[in-house]
Amino acid sequence: MGFLGRIRRNLDYQHLLSACEVTRDICSGIDSGIYNEKFGILKEDKGRVAYLPRKEGGFYEFGYLIREANPHHRLADDELFLVPAFSLFAKDLYAPTYKPLLLQLHEYRGKSINDFAYFDVLGQIVDCYFDALVNHGFGMEAHAQNTLIAIDSDCQIKLIVSRDMESADKDLPLREYLGVKSRIDALDYKCLRETDYNYTIKHSFMFDFKLGEYLLSPIIDLLSHVEVLTATISFVE
């Protein structure tokens, strides 16, 4: 299993089951090669639930979910350094004069800002988001905390790593349309149905808001500033 990354507590059975089912399908997509090789996840496929009796009757479900720290992926097992995506554009409190990590990576790689922005960062993030959606019908909550970047010793972004499988939406009609054979038993949690009044809104919420506003927009804002500076310097020369 590898060493543990985190134990998430106070989860009920449906939460745990959902995380395990999403992990199962995504791992199968990675292993079979239908996902791109840049896709990685922190597996969440183990946990326990206790059923605690209530005085008024019934039970209170109290469980925990184990999240692994080593990404599951198809690349060679080179040494990789994991950082949450918000670290790419955040300020370093211990070194406030340093440029954001994303700008440091761009300068080290020595690519044009457009090639770096698309091929190294944005393209990889969007590809991984849609891999889960178009292959298994999962709308990942891919904001800047649930998305991690795996960097090698040459400061190259090698993987886009997803975590928090429990938070993924499961689009049941899309899974049926795609012909996904695996079974979903966690039907009472994070399942989308065409009869839901907010069916399309849920997809917009995950893509436009969670991914777009909380991850893609800050990256674009930061890198577009570099492009303006580059164009200004080039024009002066």
Side-chain angles (χ1 to χ4, degrees):
M1 182 175 66
F3 70 96
L4 305 182
R6 185 184 178 192
I7 297 178
R8 299 191 61 210
R9 299 177 178 86
N10 198 23
L11 301 174
D12 62 24
Y13 178 72
Q14 285 286 314
H15 285 70
L16 267 67
L17 181 59
S18 184
C20 292
E21 291 179 336
V22 172
T23 298
R24 173 203 65 201
D25 280 5
I26 290 182
C27 283
S28 72
I30 293 173
D31 296 341
S32 65
I34 61 174
Y35 285 23
N36 75 83
E37 66 174 9
K38 300 291 188 179
F39 199 116
I41 69 164
L42 300 184
K43 293 168 62 176
E44 299 175 358
D45 57 0
K46 297 174 179 66
R48 304 194 81 172
V49 178
Y51 293 87
L52 309 177
R54 298 176 181 269
K55 290 182 179 180
E56 62 273 19
F59 294 91
Y60 175 75
E61 298 179 18
F62 186 86
Y64 66 84
L65 178 69
I66 298 173
R67 175 187 297 156
E68 295 192 21
N70 295 323
H72 182 83
H73 57 89
R74 294 206 320 273
L75 297 180
D77 290 328
D78 298 329
E79 184 177 17
L80 297 175
F81 307 91
L82 277 179
V83 296
F86 60 74
S87 296
L88 293 175
F89 43 80
K91 291 184 178 180
D92 189 336
L93 295 179
Y94 298 99
T97 60
Y98 284 14
K99 293 181 180 180
L101 178 60
L102 188 62
L103 298 186
Q104 295 183 50
L105 293 175
H106 165 244
E107 292 179 358
Y108 188 89
R109 295 300 300 165
K111 291 185 174 183
S112 71
I113 188 61
N114 288 335
D115 285 350
F116 176 77
Y118 180 77
F119 293 107
D120 287 37
V121 189
L122 298 172
Q124 292 189 37
I125 292 173
V126 173
D127 282 348
C128 289
Y129 179 85
F130 278 103
D131 267 354
L133 186 63
V134 303
N135 287 296
H136 286 106
F138 294 144
M140 306 300 291
E141 191 175 32
H143 52 58
Q145 179 171 314
N146 283 349
T147 304
L148 299 96
I149 309 298
I151 304 170
D152 65 11
S153 57
D154 196 35
C155 294
Q156 183 176 359
I157 298 175
K158 302 292 290 186
L159 293 172
I160 307 300
V161 181
S162 294
R163 66 179 175 187
D164 199 1
M165 301 298 105
E166 169 263 331
S167 67
D169 284 339
K170 298 162 292 186
D171 188 326
L172 299 183
L174 179 57
R175 285 173 62 85
E176 182 178 0
Y177 173 80
L178 294 171
V180 180
K181 302 300 183 183
S182 57
R183 177 173 167 174
I184 293 293
D185 289 316
L187 294 173
D188 296 331
Y189 178 71
K190 300 287 283 185
C191 283
L192 306 184
R193 299 168 174 86
E194 280 186 305
T195 54
D196 296 339
Y197 78 94
N198 58 351
Y199 175 74
T200 57
I201 296 173
K202 284 286 190 178
H203 278 289
S204 176
F205 181 71
M206 285 300 199
F207 181 77
D208 297 330
F209 188 61
K210 294 288 187 170
L211 175 66
E213 292 296 323
Y214 283 137
L215 180 53
L216 299 183
S217 289
I219 290 175
I220 293 171
D221 288 344
L222 184 61
L223 294 182
S224 63
H225 180 63
V226 174
E227 187 174 7
V228 169
L229 292 178
T230 303
T232 302
I233 295 172
S234 176
F235 177 77
V236 171
E237 291 176 348

